[in-house]
Amino acid sequence: MATPAGAAGAGIVYLVGAGPGDPGLQTVRARALLATSDALVYDALVHPDIIAMAARDRVVPLDMHFVGKRGGQASTPQEEINALLIRLAREGKRVVRLKGGDPFVFGRGSEEAQVLAGAGVAFEVVPGVTAGVAAPAYAGIPVTHRGVATSVTFVTGHEDPARERSGTDWSALARAGGTIVLYMGVKRLSDIVTALVEQGGMTPETPVAVIEWGTCASQRTVTATLSTIVEQARAEGIGAPAITVIGDVVRFREQIAWFDRRPLHGRRIVVTRARAQASALSELLRARGAEVVEVPAIRIEPVDGAALQAALDTVQSYDWLILTSRNAVTIMWEALRRRGLDARALAGVKLCAVGPGTAEALLEHGLAVDLVPERAVAEGVMEALAARPDVRGSRVFFPRAEGARDLIPTALGEMGATVDAVTIYRSVPDGAGAEPLRGAIDRGEVDCVTFTSSSTVRFFVDAVGAERARALRAASIGPVTSATARELGLTVAAEARTATIAGLVDAVTELLAGEPV
């Protein structure tokens, strides 16, 4: 019998379903366990972004073990996986055994649970969204529909239908009616079709869909009939992993397909923002169908905070506070909180934000800005400030990045303002993930690279090499970033009309939508 969960000194194994592919389809419970686990044992079909998120920002590195199994490739024997889970748990670790889809749907999770129970190891099961439901839904195919299919049968396609003692009665399955969903059936699709038609009597005109890499950005769907699907799937080069749906519900795809009709579906786009900021841009691109490759290029690093702390000691003596990035907002706010202060400390100070994104970051902390220029660049800031009568002769606090242009403090000084320009952070290279990206560029698998600052351009070029960077189309957040890219020989194919993340995503969409994939 398994050791009770939470017993003193005892480890525990969580048999967790990672979902069908799309990281957004993880359960809340799965995410929480991944964030607090000591060890991770994961399969081949778990999305790489899920693995990356689990390992990110940890004081103690995550103990990671890949035990994936893919047809035709060297695989970790199940006995070794079982032994690994037992060993890690007996070392007192919280172990997440992460399996694609649901651990108890064609995932051998129940076998692993049996082994753990027999070894006296505590375990819990965390169900996941299974591909047999999710992949058809993403393809616009409901597995049941009133008046069309009132039942659905899930069956593994791993078995050979021609075997004398198959575990699946294909003729009975064909006669049962409803929808049939095949897991892992691409290699034996021809034999399965033959069994359903010749043994089960299914009409050759029965609609069929094969969905490759369901719920992932690279999802592809082929539709045909039982008589033509094998030839059609072969012609399209459809391979594993794939889900096959057989039944009249496939006809609904023509009307309600949505996932692969989004404007950036099938596009691979590189995001080069600082790691802590990449998620917003990545999520907006994914929402439009893109596959996002996050290669941060830079990491934001606070500098010696003594000058910032000194300015905050007298922050209420300033007339204006100018902030030109979310990074500046974050670092300044953290410095305020360390001193036991909050938004009330800035009650008498007017706030100028370089653009809507920075203004939004301030509002998240309860600070409404007084001025947002029409152009989200330093020149736009000065145009807006120069038009106000309360800037001349004022005291201005300007926390900024290392290496930032002197345009703002110089221009303010010429207007008679007293400016304390304090460097509070720097951008440093972060080349994590650059090596696989170099290969993707060489293979022509990248459609566009996005840049949100001049530093991301410079560090990206350093990370992948000038020749590779120049082979890509670039999308820039604004004219200053575009100028840096062009100076380094890059092709700026798109520039945001408004210097915001949303504006950048719109520019990428206008560039790529409608082009052949």
Side-chain angles (χ1 to χ4, degrees):
M1 185 174 178
T3 302
I12 184 170
V13 176
Y14 298 94
L15 301 169
V16 178
D22 182 349
L25 295 181
Q26 295 175 82
T27 64
V28 173
R29 177 68 169 156
R31 284 179 179 267
L33 289 172
L34 283 168
T36 57
S37 61
D38 303 308
L40 176 63
V41 180
Y42 63 99
D43 283 348
L45 296 182
V46 176
H47 197 286
D49 285 355
I50 298 176
I51 306 303
M53 284 188 289
R56 190 173 297 163
D57 300 328
R58 286 175 171 263
V59 177
V60 178
L62 182 62
D63 185 10
M64 301 173 68
H65 302 267
F66 173 70
V67 295
K69 301 176 182 179
R70 294 295 303 273
Q73 301 180 22
S75 301
T76 306
Q78 186 62 47
E79 293 75 16
E80 291 186 18
I81 297 173
N82 297 342
L84 174 64
L85 295 175
I86 292 169
R87 176 177 65 79
L88 292 172
R90 286 178 174 169
E91 291 173 357
K93 294 180 177 179
R94 291 167 53 87
V95 184
V96 168
R97 170 66 172 111
L98 196 60
K99 305 173 77 68
D102 181 278
F104 279 11
V105 179
F106 305 122
R108 303 192 73 172
S110 55
E111 297 173 41
E112 293 174 0
Q114 284 182 305
V115 170
L116 293 169
V121 172
F123 67 89
E124 292 182 15
V125 180
V126 181
V129 178
T130 184
V133 173
Y138 271 48
I141 300 171
V143 293
T144 65
H145 187 87
R146 187 175 57 172
V148 177
T150 58
S151 65
V152 56
T153 305
F154 300 106
V155 59
T156 177
H158 238 334
E159 281 198 331
D160 184 352
R163 285 177 53 190
E164 187 174 340
R165 292 187 177 181
S166 171
T168 302
D169 187 340
W170 295 97
S171 59
L173 186 62
R175 294 192 301 271
T179 305
I180 300 172
V181 177
L182 299 173
Y183 289 69
M184 305 169 288
V186 174
K187 287 187 177 180
R188 295 197 170 100
L189 188 57
S190 179
D191 294 332
I192 291 170
V193 166
T194 299
L196 291 172
V197 174
E198 296 184 0
Q199 298 175 27
M202 289 190 79
T203 172
E205 299 309 308
T206 302
V208 183
V210 181
I211 307 157
E212 177 189 69
W213 288 106
T215 79
C216 296
S218 53
Q219 174 180 306
R220 292 193 298 155
T221 303
V222 171
T223 57
T225 64
L226 280 175
S227 63
T228 60
I229 189 61
V230 174
E231 179 182 348
Q232 189 69 30
R234 186 181 297 121
E236 296 288 341
I238 297 294
I243 291 289
T244 302
V245 186
I246 303 170
D248 287 335
V249 290
V250 172
R251 302 184 197 277
F252 288 102
R253 170 170 166 75
E254 185 175 345
Q255 181 181 8
I256 64 175
W258 61 276
F259 181 72
D260 47 8
R261 294 180 182 175
R262 295 178 300 171
L264 295 179
H265 180 75
R267 303 296 185 179
R268 180 175 288 186
I269 298 170
V270 176
V271 169
T272 59
R273 297 196 83 194
R275 186 181 299 277
Q277 301 172 317
S279 59
L281 175 55
S282 297
E283 286 306 311
L284 285 175
L285 289 168
R286 289 188 181 109
R288 298 195 184 184
E291 178 181 359
V292 174
V293 180
E294 290 188 357
V295 181
I298 64 171
R299 184 176 70 253
I300 302 304
E301 190 175 83
V303 301
D304 180 13
L308 175 58
Q309 293 295 343
L312 293 180
D313 283 340
T314 58
V315 68
Q316 291 180 333
S317 67
Y318 291 103
D319 300 298
W320 281 92
L321 168 61
I322 301 174
L323 293 156
T324 56
S325 72
R326 277 184 170 268
N327 297 319
V329 174
T330 299
I331 292 170
M332 190 199 70
W333 183 259
E334 290 174 352
L336 274 172
R337 298 302 295 141
R338 282 196 298 271
R339 301 188 70 78
L341 302 174
D342 57 23
R344 290 170 294 182
L346 301 174
V349 184
K350 297 184 183 70
L351 301 178
C352 174
V354 69
T358 305
E360 181 183 354
L362 283 162
L363 193 57
E364 289 169 2
H365 298 299
L367 295 163
V369 299
D370 299 276
L371 181 63
V372 180
E374 292 184 5
R375 293 196 299 148
V377 292
E379 289 81 358
V381 171
M382 286 314 307
E383 289 170 3
L385 288 171
R388 293 187 61 113
D390 54 355
V391 175
R392 296 182 182 277
S394 64
R395 291 196 70 222
V396 180
F397 178 32
F398 178 36
R400 61 178 180 170
E402 184 178 81
R405 294 186 296 161
D406 287 328
L407 188 150
I408 289 176
T410 299
L412 285 170
E414 292 172 353
M415 294 172 58
T418 301
V419 184
D420 288 337
V422 178
T423 298
I424 64 171
Y425 69 93
R426 64 170 63 94
S427 300
V428 297
D430 184 352
E435 184 57 41
L437 177 59
R438 294 186 195 106
I441 295 171
D442 292 342
R443 294 188 297 272
E445 295 174 352
V446 176
D447 294 290
C448 181
V449 55
T450 61
F451 296 115
T452 57
S453 67
S454 292
S455 56
T456 60
V457 179
R458 290 191 292 267
F459 292 144
F460 178 78
V461 171
D462 289 343
V464 304
E467 185 175 348
R468 287 188 180 90
R470 290 166 184 163
L472 299 175
R473 290 184 292 180
S476 159
I477 199 167
V480 175
T481 303
S482 296
T484 302
R486 292 189 180 102
E487 287 170 8
L488 294 174
L490 276 65
T491 300
V492 180
E495 181 179 294
R497 290 192 178 93
T498 58
T500 63
I501 296 303
L504 179 56
V505 173
D506 286 342
V508 171
T509 303
E510 290 176 15
L511 172 67
L512 299 177
E515 286 189 359
V517 177

